[in-house]
Amino acid sequence: MTTLLSAKRLRGDILFELLSDTIKRLPWPLLAVAALVLCASVACVHSASWISATGTYAHYGKRQIQWIIIGVAAFTFVQLLPWRAILFLAPAGWVGGVTSLCLVFVFGTVVNGSRRWFSFGSIRVQPSEFMKLALVLMLARVIANSGEEIQKL
């Protein structure tokens, strides 16, 4: 029984140490500036969504806050991943991105006369946005794997 408690305590200590190291490595000044920009974006979107005919605000400010929460959750998840794991998953992201770009022509939703979106209920996703990230990660992997050849140039 005590060895089981010791093992749980050891796993908790390792997790705490991992999280504290990750928190110490965060670029806090950059995150503070990003938080200010996010607050300004919510204020701008909210103030721009005034409907003068009804005297109310549209839902765009709330939707902006929802996407900020999703983005912060994704940032936190990615921040906890080791960079080698991210580079390992880059080819899968690349293949998934190219596949989604091909599938959008077949299963995509037409918005303003162009078929560029997937619709999942009230949420629309544009696969080209994810492909931008996949391209950056794949190029990082290629450059990391061919570092010596690049230095010879």
Side-chain angles (χ1 to χ4, degrees):
M1 182 75 165
T2 40
T3 57
L4 181 62
L5 290 174
S6 299
K8 285 184 179 179
R9 196 173 305 131
L10 179 64
R11 275 187 268 147
D13 292 343
I14 292 171
L15 181 62
F16 177 76
E17 187 175 318
L18 175 70
L19 288 175
S20 66
D21 286 344
T22 302
I23 289 171
K24 287 177 188 174
R25 288 185 293 121
L26 288 175
W28 289 105
L30 180 64
L31 291 176
V33 171
L36 288 174
V37 169
L38 289 175
C39 290
S41 73
V42 170
C44 289
V45 167
H46 180 69
S47 68
S49 65
W50 175 259
I51 303 170
S52 60
T54 61
T56 59
Y57 288 99
H59 65 282
Y60 299 114
K62 290 178 185 176
R63 184 171 286 181
Q64 180 83 358
I65 291 171
Q66 289 171 346
W67 282 111
I68 287 172
I69 291 169
I70 292 169
V72 168
F75 169 80
T76 304
F77 174 73
V78 171
Q79 182 67 29
L80 294 175
L81 289 176
W83 65 270
R84 291 184 192 273
I86 295 171
L87 287 184
F88 178 76
L89 295 173
W94 175 263
V95 170
V98 170
T99 304
S100 67
L101 287 175
C102 293
L103 290 176
V104 79
F105 290 118
V106 178
F107 301 108
T109 303
V110 177
V111 176
N112 294 331
S114 63
R115 188 180 304 265
R116 298 180 187 160
W117 301 83
F118 287 123
S119 290
F120 302 105
S122 64
I123 297 175
R124 289 190 194 140
V125 178
Q126 196 169 16
S128 63
E129 295 299 321
F130 294 105
M131 193 59 197
K132 292 175 191 176
L133 177 62
L135 175 66
V136 169
L137 293 176
M138 194 63 186
L139 287 175
R141 181 185 168 119
V142 168
I143 291 170
N145 289 342
S146 59
E148 292 180 14
E149 290 90 19
I150 291 175
Q151 288 180 353
K152 290 178 185 177
L153 295 176

